[in-house]
Amino acid sequence: MHNAMRKSKIANPSIQVVIASKDYEELTLEELLREQLQLVTNFEHFTFEDSVPIEIRTLPQKEVNREKATAAAHVAITQVMALMARQKEDYLQFQKDNSNEDGDEKMSDSDDSDDSDDSWSSKRIRKEPDNDFIQISSFFSNLAKNIAFDVGFRVQGVQVDDDKHCWCPCGHCMLPWRKRFELNEILTEYKGDCGSRARFTPVGLMAHLKEKKKSCLLHYGVHIFLMELYGDLRGTGHKALFKVGDYNYKIAEAEENKEKKQLLDKAIRDLRAEEQKTFLLQQQIKQKDDQLREYREKMKEISPDRCEDIDHLIKNFDALGYNKHAIIPDSNVYDEEFIAKEKALNELIDATLKHLLYGNEEPNEDEKITITVPQSFDQEVFDINKVIDSEFQKWRKAKSGSKGRGKCLFVTGKFTKKFLHDWVVEYSAWNNMDTRKKNKEVIAIDKGGPTRQFLSQFWGQIELLAVPHTNKTLNKQHQIQLFSLHSGGLCPELNLNLEDGVRNATKGETEDIVAALNKRIDQYYRMVGLILFRSIVGKYSISSKVMGRFMRNVLLRNCEPRDKDKYPEPEVMIDCRQLGGNFKVEDLKNKTIREVSDDFGFDADEATSATKIDSDNFSTIFMQMAFVESRRRAIDAIKLGISLDGEIDLGLSKTPLVSSLSVCLQKNIQRRRMY
């Protein structure tokens, strides 16, 4: 009856103990402390930062699962079992000394009593030793996993009451720990429940254990556990292990005070360093704020539109938690780092060309890529669409595999590597009043200059490039525009716009005609990539209007918004703003990709259509879809041309050195963002 009452007291149903569903090894330090301390006084006000000393909050994981505690538990188990063996021997000797002549025990009247708290009954002695070992081992092995009951031993006591964080493992406050490891029955079996609710200092806990160990094996074992665990702390042992005021106590206290002083001195140094760091950071922030304000005012004088861009970016940066100072452009365009990268880039391009040209003989003059550009002396007649259409018709009319197909801008197949060699660009000039017959005397043969002039004119009109189509069914002319021009450079048309253009241009026509027009669009984009390649390896000027920052990253470095490690999110935001990214982040947050897809001209795929836009995925998902996937058709075709149909790889994305191509192309593309 007595045992049943004690067990009922420990497992009181009114005590609500919450045990996490995770295994012990999966719990974090904070989760462990919250679980093990949930019955302490004022736990409802428990906060990890305010309720736990800093030394405990910053414990490394190896200290949470303390190897030394496991060793101390083994010593405690050994000592407790040894004490039980001695008690059994003493009891048996007592029986022998007090037995009567008939061998009957004089203490037989007490055989059925187990209420005594200061001695072991005969029932206790008659239990199987193996069962004792299992239960004692379970209790103390799991005591090593209790990181809360001895917190006070592991702190320096810098803050008031820091060391007053100790609780008796056999008391009320450690019930959650016992429940997790199913130790309450062991506590009942060995009469260990002391009911303590006190919050001790280390000295107070040791005094409590010394008192209780006289009549309780578990308290005795806990005392041994702590003596072993903290016996060599700081080389002297924790002061709580000694009698207050004696020699050993004073030595241990002196070492503790010495460590405490070192900790305080370090804290003061760290605080001063942090204050200095904070001061410098505040100065830098103020300086950057001033620079941003000055930059905005300067742009306001130059162009109200640019000032509006800055205000728009600041709002979006704030909404996404980006550093708004990234909006300020670098002022030093050609610094030493840039010059070094430029030189390395030239050397690498030369080495790459030398390698690619090895075994690839220079074609004969009549086999080189030849471009004829009509030129008038009395008016500007370079028309990008006429020139490119002429090149396309020349390529289309030439037989597949013939030399004629290898002499135009739409070169394919085995002739593609001709782009590595010099071109022949002929500017034919005549008087419009004459018969328009070409006169060789007024044809400028390419010696470098005509190619440079052609590329300059080509890039100067690139935004006008369009694919022509005559709908013979409706007898109507159509132009499918391929690019749009923004302050941040050239941008290919949206996939959906190309599809709409083809659909409108081919109304009433056959599927073969539709397919041929789509193929021609892709060939035009590929041709742009070929000319871009030629401009790079030939070290010809490319206007920053043509190759803005965003397309530089996407086309030349294979860096897209989803690659935030290579293409930082704030940079993506700035670059896309210059490509017409006139949106407010706050208006898009918490909307799904599908909900915004129509407004930004892209098809939402199954993988992301239901994804809600937030600060974490704004660049990697929304910006990726709105500015890259929406133009994927054109981007892939241009990349095909840049790589000469996959024949070569300049290493623009793979070679770290050449990744500088994203910031410099022979001083022809501005290295830094300059409004």
Side-chain angles (χ1 to χ4, degrees), residues 29-30 33 48 52-64 154-156 263:
L29 175 63
E30 182 173 355
L33 289 170
F48 190 61
V52 179
I54 187 171
E55 296 97 325
I56 306 303
R57 295 199 306 269
T58 55
L59 277 178
Q61 191 63 33
K62 67 179 181 180
E63 291 297 326
V64 174
R154 287 177 280 164
V155 298
Q156 279 78 16
L263 180 68

Side-chain angles (χ1 to χ4, degrees), residues 204-236:
L205 178 59
M206 293 303 289
H208 169 81
L209 295 173
K210 286 178 183 178
E211 177 63 28
K212 293 294 182 181
K213 74 174 187 176
K214 299 174 183 177
S215 58
C216 176
L217 283 172
L218 298 183
H219 282 79
Y220 172 79
V222 174
H223 185 271
I224 295 295
F225 176 86
L226 292 175
M227 291 290 291
E228 184 68 22
L229 185 58
Y230 297 108
D232 61 351
L233 184 67
R234 304 184 190 95
T236 61

